[in-house]
Amino acid sequence: MLFHENQFAVSIIVTNQSGVLTRISSLFSQRNFNIDTFTSGRTNDPEVARITITATGDHRKKDQLLKQIAKLYDVKKVELMHPENTILRELLIVKISASGDNLRTVLDAANVFRSKVVDMSPGSVCIEVTGESSKIDAFIKFVAPYGILEYCRTGLIAVERGPNCLYDPKRDALKKERDL
């Protein structure tokens, strides 16, 4: 996935507690950055959460914003995600009006897009699609003429390619100890 001109993605490792998301999103809005997508979830350590944000704003101010986020008490690590070295995925659940011949075409499209039918009822079908944003956009565009009843779309999640981890509690604790 390629970002448009002033868009970027950032991954933030934080303490998993209330109020953290508000403090981070407030920094974005205070500095006139539009948050395009915002996802958050626990990591393999339940006390730690990972936030992935895609935002649009002034590139000159971006580095300052990231430094200010890193200074927040509950933030453990902040990293700008570079698309060429990052696995980026998104999830879509879409309910499509489908019956008869339309149903067959919609199911064929689901197969072509390597998606999964998660619910079928008379007159509609719900399909789960995962992948890069461009794939999600293409699927929506393809099925739109059949009648999208509703859909829900997550923001991006991102992880760097290769063996490096954004946050390793043991490694990062040792590094802090050495820095003191």
Side-chain angles (χ1 to χ4, degrees):
M1 176 196 151
L2 297 174
F3 298 125
H4 59 76
E5 189 177 334
N6 289 323
Q7 190 177 37
F8 60 94
V10 62
S11 224
I12 308 166
I13 302 297
V14 299
T15 305
N16 190 15
Q17 61 182 2
S18 63
V20 176
L21 300 177
T22 302
R23 287 189 288 280
I24 290 172
S25 63
S26 292
L27 277 176
F28 277 81
S29 65
Q30 290 167 8
R31 279 136 191 93
N32 275 342
F33 283 88
N34 182 53
I35 294 176
D36 299 316
T37 67
F38 192 111
T39 58
S40 176
R42 279 193 330 227
T43 64
N44 51 324
D45 178 349
E47 294 181 13
V48 175
R50 182 183 193 123
I51 299 169
T52 305
I53 299 174
T54 58
T56 304
D58 186 336
H59 272 281
R60 294 185 316 265
K61 295 180 184 177
K62 174 182 61 183
D63 292 333
Q64 184 63 32
L65 170 69
L66 298 180
K67 288 175 186 174
Q68 289 172 333
I69 291 170
K71 289 180 183 178
L72 292 174
Y73 177 76
D74 292 311
V75 172
K76 298 180 177 299
K77 188 110 179 203
V78 177
E79 187 166 317
L80 190 62
M81 305 302 285
H82 302 284
E84 66 278 357
N85 194 33
T86 304
I87 299 166
L88 299 160
R89 293 293 182 265
E90 192 173 348
L91 167 68
L92 166 77
I93 298 176
V94 59
K95 186 185 297 182
I96 305 159
S97 177
S99 60
D101 291 340
N102 285 358
L103 177 60
R104 183 73 255 151
T105 304
V106 168
L107 293 176
D108 287 345
N111 189 40
V112 167
F113 280 85
R114 294 189 199 125
S115 54
K116 183 170 38 172
V117 174
V118 292
D119 183 63
M120 284 184 75
S121 57
S124 72
V125 61
C126 285
I127 298 174
E128 173 186 307
V129 186
T130 58
E132 292 188 2
S133 296
S134 59
K135 176 183 175 182
I136 304 292
D137 292 339
F139 187 78
I140 290 170
K141 186 176 180 178
F142 183 84
V143 298
Y146 300 102
I148 294 174
L149 300 172
E150 63 180 322
Y151 71 79
C152 183
R153 188 173 179 167
T154 67
L156 286 175
I157 57 171
V159 67
E160 184 180 16
R161 293 182 185 279
N164 296 335
C165 294
L166 179 59
Y167 179 72
D168 178 345
K170 293 176 186 171
R171 177 198 67 206
D172 291 345
L174 288 174
K175 185 176 185 269
K176 266 190 177 176
E177 232 175 71
R178 284 192 303 256
D179 291 346
L180 293 176

